[in-house]
Amino acid sequence: MPEIFLEMARKSDEQLFNELRAAVWAAYSKDKKPIAEAAIIKWLSNKVTADRIPRVLEIAERSGLLTRYAGTRDYVPGTMDKTQME
């Protein structure tokens, strides 16, 4: 039974990260400027509880989903190749 809940959480997290990347990409593609961390946090606050936001940002950055713009707290969409999508 615990495996069922684990699988549900995994699918939910995968969906969240896909939506996050799509949202950041949509915002970035408008004018090719980095997206402020505050804007990403605001978007995430509508998707997850406040205590999860720092961890989601950390995972997104460490996995290459988001890339922090040098010397700032702004992000650009990370580059993803086919192997990261499977």
Side-chain angles (χ1 to χ4, degrees):
M1 190 64 128
E3 293 84 20
I4 292 172
F5 296 114
L6 247 136
E7 186 62 29
M8 286 172 54
R10 238 181 263 130
K11 284 186 180 183
S12 175
D13 286 348
E14 180 181 4
Q15 182 178 0
L16 172 67
F17 286 112
N18 287 338
E19 290 176 13
L20 173 60
R21 185 169 196 286
V24 171
W25 180 254
Y28 177 75
S29 65
K30 287 180 185 175
D31 55 11
K32 303 291 190 246
K33 291 185 181 176
I35 310 306
E37 182 180 64
I40 296 171
I41 290 172
K42 184 176 181 180
W43 185 89
L44 283 170
S45 70
N46 291 311
K47 304 289 183 182
V48 298
T49 58
D51 61 310
R52 285 192 63 204
I53 292 173
R55 183 72 175 138
V56 169
L57 268 175
E58 176 188 356
I59 291 169
E61 187 176 355
R62 291 181 73 186
S63 68
L65 188 77
L66 299 178
T67 302
R68 186 181 299 258
Y69 198 72
T72 70
R73 295 180 80 67
D74 299 341
Y75 291 88
V76 295
T79 58
M80 296 189 73
D81 60 25
K82 238 181 164 182
T83 59
Q84 290 175 296
M85 296 300 289
E86 295 174 1

